[in-house]
Amino acid sequence: EAGVVQSPRYKIIEKKQPVAFWCNPISGHNTLYWYLQNLGQGPELLIRYENEEAVDDSQLPKDRFSAERLKGVDSTLKIQPAELGDSAVYLCASGWVNTGELFFGEGSRLTVL
Amino acid sequence: AQSVTQLDSQVPVFEEAPVELRCNYSSSVSVYLFWYVQYPNQGLQLLLKYLSGSTLVKGINGFEAEFNKSQTSFHLRKPSVHISDTAEYFCAVSVLIQGAQKLVFGQGTRLTINP
């Protein structure tokens, strides 16, 4: 069974440029999450989807971050424009709504110069 | 609000020695508890979970954890560690809020195994 797939694994951009990350969750999972992980810290939730609906986006900086989950499957996280402080690993995870157990992708490491 | 505290940011241990990684949580409602492991440049992988039932939970790679409700703790243990256990370990608590589970992570404990 395929796991959560994320791309790109690594991205280097200059500040003020846009960037997008893509996530394909495990088939059958009805929840999808985007987490931000800074170096040496635990993941912090950016946004949570149940099917197509974003049910918790309170931690998403909406002035520059946006996310979508078309057709309740794949999801895209976008940053525009990127700032130096956005350098981090962006993790995607999926699971079932009632257990809280999540399956993570390998992450997308962003470096903003 | 729910929170998770991992009491040690770094734990150095010699190979084949036992190890305990400590985790305390705060929550006024019932929780599910998890330990995840993260190897360098990889995503998080589930080690073990407590949903209900026996308070002693066994996971992969010889790890186990014990849920202690009175002390609000979920410490991770392994009787004999291997070099390959070197990684970052995250404790997490999941709480049912408005019909859905919300997962909150601790800051992580870096386990370093020395030969």
Side-chain angles (χ1 to χ4, degrees), chain B residues 28-47:
Chain B
S28 58
V29 298
S30 296
V31 299
Y32 297 151
L33 296 159
F34 304 85
W35 275 97
Y36 285 85
V37 60
Q38 186 175 35
Y39 299 104
N41 297 316
Q42 294 188 27
L44 279 70
Q45 178 184 0
L46 182 68
L47 266 181

Side-chain angles (χ1 to χ4, degrees), chain B residues 7-91:
Chain B
L7 298 162
D8 305 295
S9 59
Q10 297 186 62
V11 174
V13 182
F14 286 108
E15 194 173 14
E16 299 183 3
V19 69
E20 179 180 82
L21 306 184
R22 296 180 293 169
C23 173
N24 286 89
Y25 68 93
S26 65
S27 175
S28 58
V29 298
S30 296
V31 299
Y32 297 151
L33 296 159
F34 304 85
W35 275 97
Y36 285 85
V37 60
Q38 186 175 35
Y39 299 104
N41 297 316
Q42 294 188 27
L44 279 70
Q45 178 184 0
L46 182 68
L47 266 181
L48 48 78
K49 60 187 177 185
Y50 171 79
L51 302 182
S52 65
S54 173
T55 57
L56 182 62
V57 179
K58 294 188 183 299
I60 63 171
N61 300 341
F63 284 93
E64 64 180 32
E66 185 159 19
F67 170 54
N68 188 317
K69 188 175 182 179
S70 63
Q71 296 187 5
T72 60
S73 67
F74 191 55
H75 300 334
L76 181 71
R77 302 186 183 98
K78 186 170 182 178
S80 176
V81 295
H82 189 267
I83 292 285
S84 60
D85 292 322
T86 295
E88 190 89 18
Y89 291 79
F90 293 95
C91 181

Side-chain angles (χ1 to χ4, degrees), chain A residues 9-10 33 35 37 40-43 48 50 56 91 97-102 104-106 109, chain B residues 32 34 36 38 41-44 46 49 51 88 90 94 99-103 105-108:
Chain A
R9 287 293 314 278
Y10 304 93
Y33 301 70
Y35 280 87
Q37 187 178 23
Q41 298 186 24
R48 172 167 62 92
E50 286 183 25
D56 185 354
L91 295 167
V97 67
N98 292 325
T99 70
E101 178 180 352
L102 297 185
F104 284 82
E106 293 187 305
R109 181 180 296 276
Chain B
Y32 297 151
F34 304 85
Y36 285 85
Q38 186 175 35
N41 297 316
Q42 294 188 27
L44 279 70
L46 182 68
K49 60 187 177 185
L51 302 182
E88 190 89 18
F90 293 95
S94 181
Q101 293 290 337
K102 182 172 184 177
L103 193 64
F105 286 87
Q107 292 297 298

